[in-house]
Amino acid sequence: MKNSHCSRLLLVCSVLVLCIVTGGARCDKLSSNFYDWTCPGVYNIVQQHVFSAMREELRMGASLLRLHFHDCFVNGCDDSILLDGADGEKFALPNQNSVRGYEVIDAIKADLENMCPGVVSSADVVALAAGYGVLFSGGPYYNVLLGRRDGLKANPSGADNGLPSPFEPISSIVKKFADVGLDTKDVVVLSGAHTIGRARCVLFSDRLASTKSSANPTLDATMAANLQKLCTGGDGNQTTALDVSSADVFDKQYYHNLLSKKGLLTSDQGLFSADEDVVASTTKALVQTYSNDGEQFFSDFGASMVKMGSIPLPGGSAGEIRCNCRVPNPK
């Protein structure tokens, strides 16, 4: 037992030295067995916390998935989104009253620091938690690659400008995906994450109007009337399910909704109802494919999540393994 413990410590030290010497270049190579020797209990710890959080609130699976998405699109998947401070990404407009689940990540990290201190990055915790959030919602299991480093600072302007907006046309969203190495197919596949979760009235009120007949023509009239009842007279923070048909189940129903004009957000319905061009014809065909083939959606979703989870840190950034997800390590 003593020799095994010493071997693990030696391996951790070797990895840390390698990261410092090579400037982090070798540490950007993610793998599915990254912690097999240094912290093999990481999977059980993350599973237990995510399962417990979702037992209290099923929506938390969707929240952890969104947290991972909003992290990866800014500076790569470096957990910069969890950094506290007035200039943090948490206070960027796309994240306010939207991203949640921070406390779940904190609790996981605290247990991991007790088990194997200084080994598992906060960024990897977020990635694993998102994967289990999908799985426990009925979605696919996909092989989460590990070995990320935590960023040293937040980038609120990157969050304000780089995260896709629910009000944007599909062509603009495709451009933002391309900026981080993702393609049009990834746009359609990862939008399918909206098969779970909720959205505030302020994010879709642009599709509503004062009367049923004058609502957006790409929005089902009955759904528009129900949403108007929900949102009228409120402060914009009332919420409704992103997937009107199966709110808490990860399935292909999201795409069926788009075929019948029941996509909640402009960015959702735009995948099927946007004016015809090369991009729109591609997204429309993929929506039709996934509405008919749930297995294909699940397979492609896992592949796109692995691809998104591999967005690298900015060049020259070696990162670190934070002891506390919310603050950089003291120098």
Side-chain angles (χ1 to χ4, degrees):
M1 182 68 69
K2 183 177 180 180
N3 289 338
S4 175
H5 179 66
C6 290
S7 296
R8 285 179 57 192
L9 287 177
L10 180 60
L11 182 55
V12 173
C13 291
S14 298
V15 171
L16 293 176
V17 169
L18 178 62
C19 292
I20 293 170
V21 171
T22 63
R26 289 286 301 277
C27 301
D28 290 335
K29 297 186 182 303
L30 308 180
S31 69
S32 59
N33 60 354
F34 191 84
Y35 297 113
D36 282 6
W37 288 98
T38 56
C39 193
V42 60
Y43 301 101
N44 286 336
I45 293 293
V46 178
Q47 281 185 52
Q48 290 167 9
H49 278 278
V50 173
F51 185 82
S52 177
M54 291 181 66
R55 186 169 53 187
E56 292 185 14
E57 182 189 20
L58 196 54
R59 177 190 174 193
M60 187 53 69
S63 298
L64 293 170
L65 178 56
R66 180 178 295 180
L67 178 62
H68 184 38
F69 181 93
H70 281 228
D71 179 40
C72 288
F73 262 71
V74 183
N75 289 353
C77 308
D78 68 343
D79 193 44
S80 55
I81 194 170
L82 256 78
L83 289 171
D84 282 339
D87 59 347
E89 292 169 27
K90 293 176 181 178
F91 302 104
L93 188 59
N95 295 331
Q96 290 185 39
N97 297 317
S98 173
V99 177
R100 54 202 294 275
Y102 302 118
E103 294 80 7
V104 177
I105 303 302
D106 287 337
I108 295 171
K109 179 64 171 173
D111 276 1
L112 289 172
E113 285 299 301
N114 287 330
M115 175 185 288
C116 32
V119 175
V120 181
S121 68
S122 298
D124 279 345
V125 171
V126 172
L128 275 173
Y132 288 123
V134 170
L135 183 65
F136 295 155
S137 298
Y141 169 82
Y142 58 91
N143 204 10
V144 178
L145 302 183
L146 303 169
R148 297 169 187 81
R149 308 280 288 174
D150 297 323
L152 302 178
K153 60 181 180 179
N155 183 3
S157 63
D160 280 327
N161 299 316
L163 284 166
S165 163
F167 309 111
E168 287 185 293
I170 297 302
S171 57
S172 297
I173 293 175
V174 168
K175 172 62 168 58
K176 288 184 175 180
F177 270 63
D179 288 343
V180 295
L182 303 177
D183 58 27
T184 302
K185 181 179 180 180
D186 297 315
V187 172
V188 181
V189 174
L190 294 176
S191 294
H194 286 176
T195 184
I196 53 176
R198 303 181 69 84
R200 294 176 297 138
C201 287
V202 69
L203 298 179
F204 55 83
S205 58
D206 61 313
R207 306 194 68 211
L208 308 178
S210 58
T211 63
K212 178 177 176 180
S213 60
S214 60
N216 189 301
T218 67
L219 179 61
D220 174 79
T222 300
M223 183 174 171
N226 290 335
L227 292 173
Q228 287 160 356
K229 290 178 182 177
L230 170 70
C231 298
T232 300
D235 62 0
N237 287 317
Q238 305 95 311
T239 66
T240 191
L242 284 160
D243 180 346
V244 67
S245 302
S246 56
D248 296 314
V249 180
F250 198 102
D251 56 20
K252 66 177 182 177
Q253 190 61 45
Y254 166 83
Y255 299 104
H256 277 289
N257 294 342
L258 303 186
L259 300 183
S260 54
K261 298 183 180 181
K262 293 181 180 178
L264 182 64
L265 307 178
T266 297
S267 57
D268 289 329
Q269 193 59 49
L271 295 173
F272 188 75
S273 301
D275 294 336
E276 285 292 337
D277 59 18
V278 175
V279 171
S281 62
T282 300
T283 63
K284 186 173 183 176
L286 286 167
V287 168
Q288 291 172 320
T289 294
Y290 296 137
S291 70
N292 291 320
D293 193 341
E295 289 186 6
Q296 188 65 55
F297 166 49
F298 275 28
S299 175
D300 289 351
F301 184 83
S304 288
M305 284 297 292
V306 170
K307 189 176 176 182
M308 184 190 76
S310 301
I311 297 173
L313 275 64
S317 176
E320 65 180 7
I321 306 297
R322 273 185 235 139
C323 296
N324 180 336
C325 294
R326 294 175 179 260
V327 294
N329 293 336
K331 296 181 179 179

